Amino acid sequence: MKKYLYFIFFLLPIFCFAAGTGDIAGKVKEAKTQQPVEYATVMIQGTSIATYTNEKGSFVLKNVPVGKYKLLARKLGYAEIVLEIEVNEGKTTIQNFKFEEQALKGQTINVTGNRAIKRETPVAFTNLKSEELKEKYTTEDMPMLLEGVPGVFSTSSGLGESDLTIRGFSSEQIQILINGIPVNDPESQVVYWSNWTGVSSNVKSVQVQRGAGSSLYGSGAFGGSVNIETMGTGNKNETILRISGGTYLSDETADGKGEMEDYQPVNYNILLRQNMYLAKQKVGISAMFERKGGDSYINGTNYDGYSFGMDVDVDTKKHDVKFSFIGAPQKHNQARKVQDLELMKTLGRQYNRNNCDEQENYYFKPQFSVRDEWNINEFTSMLTNVFFTTGQGGGKYLRNDRFDPETGEVLTMELTEDRTKLAVGRHARWVYEHTGGENGGVILDGYDPESHTFNGELIKGGTNMSTGNYVHSYTNDSHNNHIQIGLNTYLKNNFDLISTFVGGEFRRWDAEHYAEVKDLRYYNPLEENNLGIYRKGQRRYDYDTVVNNLSAFVRVKTKQEICERFYDYISVYNDTYRMPFFISGDIQYATYTSEVSENPIHIFDYNTGAFLEETFYQTKDMTEVDTDGNIVKKFADDDYKKTFDFISPKIGINVNYTDEFNIMYSFALAHKEPRVSDWYDRDDGPDAGQEYTTPNLEIVYEDLKPEETVTHELGIGYITKKYTAEVNLYYTTYSDKIENMTDSRGSLTVNAGKAIHKGIEVSTSAILFKKIDLQGSCTLSQNRWDDMHYDKIFNVSSEEINGKVVPFTPEIMGNISAGYTLPIKKDKSSLRMTATWNFRDRYFGTYTNKRDQIDPVTGNATEVSSELPYYMTTDLAFKFDTKIKTKKVSFRLDLNNIFNRDNIASADYTTDYGREDYLKEIKTMYVVPAPEFNVFLTTEITF
């Protein structure tokens, strides 16, 4: 019976308007330019009668029942218009609209080709405006401002150390665009948010697209995309000063030097922005400078950074051109994901395993871009981004360190004569064998090639590094410098029934990578405390990479006219009720070529402390014995070059059943190429991770394949002026998932198998009594391993993995926010109060969903779940807006995690080789604690 009631409900509008009718027709234009506005919604309020304007701005509503109505016209970016009209039987009522722009042109180029449109694009997405983001931002990185977006999981271990996932897909599989320019590292595919510190305070809007293939450019949007538009320029002359700072509640914690200290972290940022507008020249200029620094909630994670940039917008009759520059030099210390759950009880939850003087990340990555929006004619436009980036810097840390779990002290290796002699002797033997000894090379002092002894000690094997055997501690300084040029573009054409986008992207990335050895500590009986130090040692690696990304795409979108012709053709529906629909189809071809070139490394004599003239290549010189017993080079030049290409299609439909209610479906097939580090090992060469020996002693090579996802998605939306609700259901088959694993065959990087990601995402918002606003979201997902390619994987049987939760992202997430705005009419001020509740659960920190809990006294292991405790915070914010003479002033007080819940933010499954206890060299689960109660105060003044 219920299904018939639904049928009657959907047919009711048809019968309600069956008697005496007339028509409504008109045009919608821009008030300033008198240009027609296409795709504007025109509807009769309180009914389901609606249509869209065509490319000429015209609309017709046929067979409207006689009566008086309120006719509404609206489109994103324009002020909504409502007019009273009267429809008479058998006549056509003419009503025109003139739109006033709500967002002033010239503020920024809206990269619409890469942005979804409500009720048109068949993609699950969330838009965040600058006002919403300003309500959240204090000093944190951009990912933390996305908390509450369905399907998005954001986490941080300090300033510059943030990350996010979408629908269980890691950040390497999510494309991040800033003003339409991809900023993912082409090699690692990671976005290092520490290099984009100015984005958080410089954002106009963010669109988060969830699901495969939702970006036009490249394969980056494998699991989704985040499209950030910065502030750009405006049409006002104004100065903005913003200051924010705060502190975290903290317990006594280990300082990394063997002592406990009262850790009181404070961090802050100061922003100054100057906007200018030259009205006659139609030129907007905006310059900004930001200083960000201080300590985060984990000990030893201080940040010291700047951000500066300039935007220039030039608006002509045919072109809107934006010149942009942004840079953010910074240095900061890291915690990494190595907090021990048990040690947090004795060393404090803020202790940092890596807290020592040697650790520091430092980088400067300026980006220059020119973006041109060319309005060729009323039907055709072209958008082009040309960009250039360069990066200088890297990271330092203490390598071969020791960690004392009793005191939390980070120490250097203990020096002994025998261990030093053995390490240096192995290197001496390697140098002798590598250079041919007396026949053409070098014999290091103390090495006897006949007896293979070094200073009388028998040396059984040689090695090219004395730094890789956990004998000598030193500072590792890794450098990663690059230059990148790129262009992405598309041409949009509006035809009678469809719009087309044709374009592509090209990026070339040239990078150099090398790791310097500094302050190498060794045993020297002639020095105080038997400590000798070489200020410089032999480089651990030295190689260059070139990555070329090339993609081309075609997108076709239907227009309103195709709906009208469709309904006219089938003529089975009553003309008073037509459901506009939009069909969108993409197809993309992408090719990626990566090439590694190793550079010669000068040999260092660890016995004398001097560099030799002789050089070697880290893996290029490796040899092996062929089937004929000949010694040949292990790798050919072509082994250092990989090309991956693929075609990715996507198609979907969005049906607007009424002006409030719509439903969409999409299908997408997406691919993701392996990273450079997946197929090239700095110590073992190309394809080392794909080579292993079977139980029958057969050497097997398995080529890495691109990862693949197939996604089906259904979405339902409901929107009115005061209430919105969206529900999205998705089912994604994730095949050939690339994973790093260790088992009896060694350390491998392989296409591990298949996982199924499925779930439901709900978001809603409402306005009550004009002063209360509510927002909420909920994500219920299941990310499970489905079928593994190997009998054993992650050092366990595949049967123990199949059906388990894919780790490192929660399956349940919820967010509720309630705001109340109290106007103070006396001085036109307002007070706003906001309460936010966040919840997440079902987060596992290991592949088997279990971990060993080891008794530190007996050493006995008990198998327990690796699921983290549920995460929950309650936050309060109070904001006061007022005017002091002509200055706009706002004050905001944020009280976060007010119940001081002891949350864990995230986990990692890894090994700590420097420990001095029962967990040394054992893989286990380490965690990152979330901040406890913290307070921030933000002030903004506009002159």
Side-chain angles (χ1 to χ4, degrees):
M1 181 66 183
K2 186 179 291 186
K3 64 181 179 180
Y4 296 112
L5 292 176
Y6 287 136
F7 183 69
I8 293 171
F9 171 77
F10 284 115
L11 289 181
L12 189 60
I14 299 177
F15 297 115
C16 290
F17 303 112
T21 62
D23 297 337
I24 304 173
K27 289 188 175 182
V28 179
K29 296 182 178 180
E30 287 188 346
K32 184 177 179 180
T33 65
Q34 296 300 304
Q35 292 296 312
V37 177
E38 63 175 334
Y39 295 140
T41 300
V42 181
M43 65 171 293
I44 298 176
Q45 282 191 333
T47 75
S48 57
I49 302 175
T51 189
Y52 290 84
T53 57
N54 61 21
E55 73 276 1
K56 298 179 180 179
S58 301
F59 69 91
V60 177
L61 294 170
K62 295 182 178 181
N63 300 320
V64 180
V66 171
K68 294 183 178 180
Y69 301 98
K70 288 185 177 180
L71 189 65
L72 177 148
R74 67 183 179 202
K75 187 179 180 181
L76 187 68
Y78 298 94
E80 186 178 282
I81 301 174
V82 179
L83 300 173
E84 292 186 356
I85 63 167
E86 183 174 359
V87 177
N88 297 309
E89 186 173 358
K91 295 184 178 180
T92 299
T93 301
I94 303 298
Q95 182 61 65
N96 298 319
F97 293 89
K98 291 186 177 181
F99 274 171
E100 298 284 349
E101 290 186 354
Q102 203 168 39
L104 294 171
K105 190 175 182 182
Q107 286 184 326
T108 188
I109 296 176
N110 184 15
V111 192
T112 55
N114 225 6
R115 284 194 163 232
I117 302 173
K118 286 287 185 185
R119 300 170 59 81
E120 292 187 19
T121 313
V123 170
F125 67 94
T126 300
N127 286 326
L128 299 171
K129 298 180 181 178
S130 59
E131 292 79 8
E132 299 174 75
L133 298 168
K134 284 176 64 176
E135 291 291 318
K136 296 181 179 182
Y137 178 57
T138 53
T139 63
E140 63 268 58
D141 299 327
M142 189 68 224
M144 304 310 295
L145 300 183
L146 304 182
E147 281 190 320
V149 175
V152 175
F153 167 55
S154 301
T155 185
S156 177
S157 59
L159 295 178
E161 292 297 308
S162 298
D163 202 0
L164 62 87
T165 69
I166 296 179
R167 292 183 174 177
F169 289 89
S170 66
S171 58
E172 292 91 339
Q173 297 153 329
I174 300 165
Q175 188 164 61
I176 310 296
L177 303 107
I178 298 178
N179 295 325
I181 299 171
V183 296
N184 299 70
D185 184 308
E187 287 184 69
S188 66
Q189 299 163 10
V190 173
V191 173
Y192 298 97
W193 290 103
S194 57
N195 302 325
W196 302 102
T197 187
V199 170
S200 302
S201 57
N202 194 38
V203 61
K204 177 184 178 183
S205 67
V206 178
Q207 183 174 96
V208 180
Q209 297 183 14
R210 310 185 296 277
S214 49
S215 173
L216 296 180
Y217 304 129
S219 66
F222 187 71
S225 65
V226 179
N227 196 339
I228 302 167
E229 286 191 23
T230 58
M231 283 293 183
T233 64
N235 67 344
K236 292 182 180 179
N237 296 318
E238 62 182 7
T239 303
I240 300 171
L241 175 65
R242 182 187 182 278
I243 303 173
S244 187
T247 185
Y248 300 87
L249 183 68
S250 181
D251 303 323
E252 191 179 45
T253 184
D255 65 356
K257 298 177 181 178
E259 302 292 336
M260 301 293 286
E261 66 175 353
D262 291 325
Y263 180 57
Q264 296 298 325
V266 174
N267 63 59
Y268 67 92
N269 72 3
I270 303 172
L271 170 73
L272 181 65
R273 181 192 307 282
Q274 179 65 55
N275 294 329
M276 295 179 289
Y277 186 68
L278 309 177
K280 291 184 179 180
Q281 291 81 12
K282 293 186 178 180
V283 174
I285 303 172
S286 179
M288 60 82 67
F289 176 85
E290 182 181 34
R291 173 77 170 95
K292 182 182 288 189
D295 298 320
S296 193
Y297 65 96
I298 297 176
N299 199 357
T301 55
N302 55 295
Y303 187 94
D304 183 8
Y306 300 85
S307 180
F308 43 82
M310 175 175 286
D311 289 329
V312 179
D313 278 347
V314 181
D315 189 7
T316 68
K317 186 176 181 181
K318 288 285 187 179
H319 292 268
D320 193 351
V321 184
K322 180 173 183 177
F323 304 87
S324 181
F325 163 74
I326 188 170
Q330 57 82 26
K331 56 184 179 180
H332 72 283
N333 294 343
Q334 303 160 298
R336 302 194 181 103
K337 295 182 179 180
V338 288
Q339 311 296 77
D340 189 306
L341 275 168
E342 297 301 319
L343 292 185
M344 282 165 45
K345 300 174 183 177
T346 58
L347 300 180
R349 71 189 306 276
Q350 287 84 22
Y351 99 88
N352 182 356
R353 160 66 178 85
N354 296 284
N355 188 9
C356 61
D357 295 336
E358 285 82 1
Q359 71 132 340
E360 182 181 66
N361 175 279
Y362 56 96
Y363 214 78
F364 179 36
K365 184 179 180 177
Q367 175 173 294
F368 307 83
S369 65
V370 180
R371 289 175 287 142
D372 173 51
E373 188 175 27
W374 178 20
N375 297 308
I376 300 172
N377 54 50
E378 60 180 317
F379 306 108
T380 306
S381 62
M382 186 174 186
L383 183 75
T384 303
N385 293 334
V386 179
F387 55 92
F388 169 80
T389 69
T390 182
Q392 298 286 323
K396 298 186 295 185
Y397 61 92
L398 182 61
R399 189 172 174 91
N400 295 348
D401 66 349
R402 292 187 294 134
F403 174 66
D404 187 344
E406 297 292 328
T407 65
E409 192 172 4
V410 181
L411 305 159
T412 59
M413 286 288 178
E414 294 181 352
L415 296 171
T416 66
E417 184 176 7
D418 290 341
R419 294 179 71 201
T420 296
K421 185 184 295 185
L422 182 62
V424 176
R426 285 176 175 172
H427 179 70
R429 177 167 181 172
W430 177 86
V431 173
Y432 172 78
E433 294 171 344
H434 179 78
T435 60
E438 294 178 328
N439 293 325
V442 175
I443 300 178
L444 296 188
D445 291 344
Y447 179 68
D448 181 358
E450 292 185 3
S451 61
H452 298 301
T453 59
F454 178 79
N455 293 337
E457 185 88 15
L458 179 63
I459 305 300
K460 295 181 180 179
T463 178
N464 65 355
M465 293 284 177
S466 71
T467 54
N469 47 25
Y470 301 96
V471 172
H472 300 130
S473 297
Y474 60 94
T475 300
N476 182 89
D477 193 355
S478 297
H479 295 256
N480 300 286
N481 308 321
H482 81 267
I483 293 176
Q484 177 183 220
I485 58 171
L487 175 148
N488 52 52
T489 184
Y490 69 81
L491 180 71
K492 177 184 177 183
N493 277 289
N494 289 319
F495 298 101
D496 288 342
L497 301 178
I498 61 172
S499 294
T500 63
F501 295 79
V502 180
E505 178 196 32
F506 169 74
R507 279 193 284 168
R508 179 182 173 90
W509 169 277
D510 289 82
E512 58 178 7
H513 307 278
Y514 60 91
E516 295 182 313
V517 172
K518 298 180 178 179
D519 296 334
L520 177 75
R521 299 163 177 85
Y522 67 98
Y523 182 87
N524 187 341
L526 302 179
E527 298 289 341
E528 185 179 355
N529 299 323
N530 297 325
L531 170 63
I533 297 179
Y534 291 137
R535 294 305 173 188
K536 268 199 169 184
Q538 185 172 295
R539 288 187 176 183
R540 292 181 52 238
Y541 57 82
D542 190 337
Y543 66 96
D544 299 336
T545 54
V546 175
V547 181
N548 289 314
N549 296 357
L550 179 64
S551 64
F553 66 86
V554 176
R555 168 177 289 178
V556 178
K557 292 173 61 177
T558 64
K559 298 170 68 175
Q560 175 66 22
E561 286 77 5
I562 204 168
C563 305
E564 295 297 326
R565 295 193 186 183
F566 172 75
Y567 288 120
D568 288 340
Y569 177 76
I570 62 175
S571 65
V572 296
Y573 294 99
N574 190 307
D575 281 341
T576 62
Y577 195 76
R578 299 186 171 205
M579 294 184 291
F581 60 85
F582 296 89
I583 300 174
S584 177
D586 302 355
I587 188 164
Q588 180 191 83
Y589 169 76
T591 179
Y592 297 85
T593 301
S594 305
E595 186 172 1
V596 174
S597 301
E598 292 185 343
N599 299 315
I601 298 174
H602 277 277
I603 295 173
F604 185 73
D605 180 352
Y606 289 100
N607 191 47
T608 63
F611 282 94
L612 308 178
E613 291 296 326
E614 283 74 16
T615 61
F616 75 101
Y617 293 93
Q618 189 68 10
T619 71
K620 190 178 175 182
D621 289 336
M622 287 183 174
T623 60
E624 62 182 359
V625 179
D626 65 13
T627 55
D628 297 325
N630 299 316
I631 297 176
V632 296
K633 282 202 170 185
K634 185 174 182 179
F635 304 112
D637 290 343
D638 288 344
D639 293 333
Y640 292 86
K641 185 176 182 180
K642 300 288 183 182
T643 298
F644 302 96
D645 57 357
F646 36 77
I647 295 176
S648 300
K650 179 172 184 178
I651 189 168
I653 183 170
N654 204 325
V655 179
N656 296 316
Y657 181 74
T658 69
D659 196 60
E660 293 85 16
F661 178 79
N662 75 292
I663 185 169
M664 73 90 172
Y665 166 79
S666 68
F667 165 84
L669 171 64
H671 298 87
K672 185 67 178 171
E673 75 282 359
R675 300 172 298 177
V676 172
S677 60
D678 290 335
W679 62 266
Y680 172 72
D681 187 282
R682 294 188 296 233
D683 296 320
D684 298 320
D687 299 320
Q690 290 74 59
E691 175 186 337
Y692 61 90
T693 304
T694 68
N696 297 327
L697 301 180
E698 180 185 1
I699 297 177
V700 176
Y701 294 88
E702 291 191 9
D703 288 335
L704 277 180
K705 296 181 290 186
E707 299 177 310
E708 179 182 283
T709 59
V710 176
T711 300
H712 298 270
E713 181 153 1
L714 179 68
I716 302 171
Y718 181 78
I719 182 170
T720 66
K721 293 183 71 173
K722 293 187 177 182
Y723 179 77
T724 65
E726 291 185 0
V727 179
N728 291 93
L729 298 94
Y730 64 91
Y731 187 98
T732 299
T733 302
Y734 185 179
S735 303
D736 293 322
K737 194 174 191 295
I738 295 176
E739 288 282 352
N740 298 316
M741 52 170 279
T742 302
D743 63 13
S744 58
R745 295 162 295 174
S747 178
L748 302 175
T749 301
V750 296
N751 295 107
K754 183 172 69 174
I756 303 296
H757 292 216
K758 58 184 177 181
I760 179 170
E761 300 162 344
V762 180
S763 61
T764 183
S765 64
I767 299 176
L768 307 176
F769 312 115
K770 296 183 179 180
K771 297 178 182 178
I772 300 175
D773 54 272
L774 302 173
Q775 293 187 36
S777 68
C778 178
T779 301
L780 303 175
S781 60
Q782 282 190 356
N783 307 323
R784 305 296 167 87
W785 294 106
D786 183 62
D787 183 30
M788 311 309 294
H789 293 341
Y790 302 90
D791 294 333
K792 288 193 68 177
I793 195 161
F794 307 128
N795 234 353
V796 298
S797 169
S798 294
E799 295 178 357
E800 294 186 48
I801 299 294
N802 288 337
K804 294 296 192 298
V805 176
V806 179
F808 313 130
T809 188
E811 290 194 319
I812 300 174
M813 293 182 286
N815 173 275
I816 298 174
S817 179
Y820 175 74
T821 303
L822 176 65
I824 303 173
K825 296 182 179 179
K826 184 177 180 180
D827 55 1
K828 296 183 179 179
S829 303
S830 66
L831 175 65
R832 177 172 172 80
M833 296 164 281
T834 308
T836 305
W837 176 81
N838 287 291
F839 177 85
R840 53 181 183 253
D841 200 7
R842 297 285 293 167
Y843 182 112
F844 288 86
T846 64
Y847 296 95
T848 61
N849 297 173
K850 297 177 182 179
R851 66 181 180 92
D852 286 336
Q853 184 169 287
I854 302 175
D855 189 315
V857 178
T858 65
N860 295 329
T862 304
E863 193 174 66
V864 298
S865 173
S866 67
E867 183 178 4
L868 297 183
Y870 72 86
Y871 175 104
M872 185 170 67
T873 62
T874 303
D875 307 329
L876 293 176
F878 303 88
K879 184 182 180 186
F880 179 66
D881 290 305
T882 188
K883 267 193 172 184
I884 301 177
K885 295 184 178 179
T886 60
K887 303 177 183 66
K888 294 181 181 179
V889 182
S890 71
F891 303 94
R892 192 177 90 238
L893 177 67
D894 288 274
L895 308 173
N896 302 316
N897 195 8
I898 61 174
F899 296 118
N900 198 32
R901 180 175 166 80
D902 188 6
N903 292 308
I904 300 297
S906 59
D908 194 15
Y909 185 59
T910 187
T911 304
D912 187 349
Y913 285 93
R915 291 182 68 125
E916 293 188 314
D917 62 359
Y918 55 92
L919 285 180
K920 185 177 182 179
E921 300 185 25
I922 295 177
K923 268 201 168 185
T924 188
M925 187 180 80
Y926 295 90
V927 302
V928 175
E932 297 179 291
F933 174 70
N934 55 93
V935 181
F936 279 82
L937 179 63
T938 304
T939 302
E940 184 172 303
I941 305 172
T942 303
F943 301 88

